[in-house]
Amino acid sequence: MTKAMAGAAAAMLCLGGTVASAGSAQASGTSCAIKKWGYTGHYKCGSHVVEADWTANGSVDEVFVVATNRHIYHVWKNAGGWQEMPGGGRADNTTGYLFWDGVRRCVIVYVTSNNTHYQNCFSGGKWHNWTVSGG
């Protein structure tokens, strides 16, 4: 994780997240199981599993994955299970997360067809729409 300063506001950026290990016999595009906080979900084998540490205390606060159907899911402690991310986004991989100015937290995904990174940010108590990352 690197820290960058933007004016008086500090931003934390983690690109890549934690890469989930998929057995060599599993092809990319097949479904792999993941269990976090007692909730089992599935993601595209070979894709990144992003474990966000929003509190910067060394523990995982939220996990993001892309399923084989390109839907983006996340889970956190006491979430009640894996939830699809709002905004109807579709992606081919997760690439990282961004915690901006201590208020806004974003997950970043990648879409292969147009070679573009997108982000969805949580602020004001809710997730918002998917936008081009950095835009």
Side-chain angles (χ1 to χ4, degrees):
M1 183 179 320
T2 61
K3 291 186 180 181
M5 295 300 292
M12 272 192 322
L13 173 66
C14 176
L15 289 177
T18 301
V19 178
S21 63
S24 59
Q26 296 171 322
S28 180
T30 60
S31 180
C32 285
I34 182 171
K35 189 170 186 178
K36 294 290 183 181
W37 298 287
Y39 308 121
T40 301
H42 293 85
Y43 68 100
K44 184 170 61 169
C45 295
S47 65
H48 291 112
V49 172
V50 172
E51 297 181 332
D53 177 5
W54 300 126
T55 57
N57 66 358
S59 67
V60 176
D61 299 306
E62 193 166 5
V63 177
F64 299 88
V65 298
V66 173
T68 56
N69 63 3
R70 302 182 67 235
H71 293 233
I72 306 152
Y73 289 90
H74 63 139
V75 70
W76 58 97
K77 186 177 181 179
N78 299 320
W82 287 84
Q83 310 287 324
E84 186 172 351
M85 284 289 294
R90 301 293 178 263
D92 298 299
N93 209 344
T94 53
T95 58
Y97 67 95
L98 174 69
F99 187 46
W100 186 255
D101 67 18
V103 177
R104 186 171 49 158
R105 55 188 195 220
C106 307
V107 62
I108 304 165
V109 299
Y110 179 73
V111 176
T112 304
S113 64
N114 62 0
N115 194 30
T116 303
H117 288 88
Y118 293 89
Q119 67 186 25
N120 191 333
C121 298
F122 183 91
S123 65
K126 66 179 184 173
W127 289 97
H128 296 275
N129 293 322
W130 292 95
T131 59
V132 173
S133 186

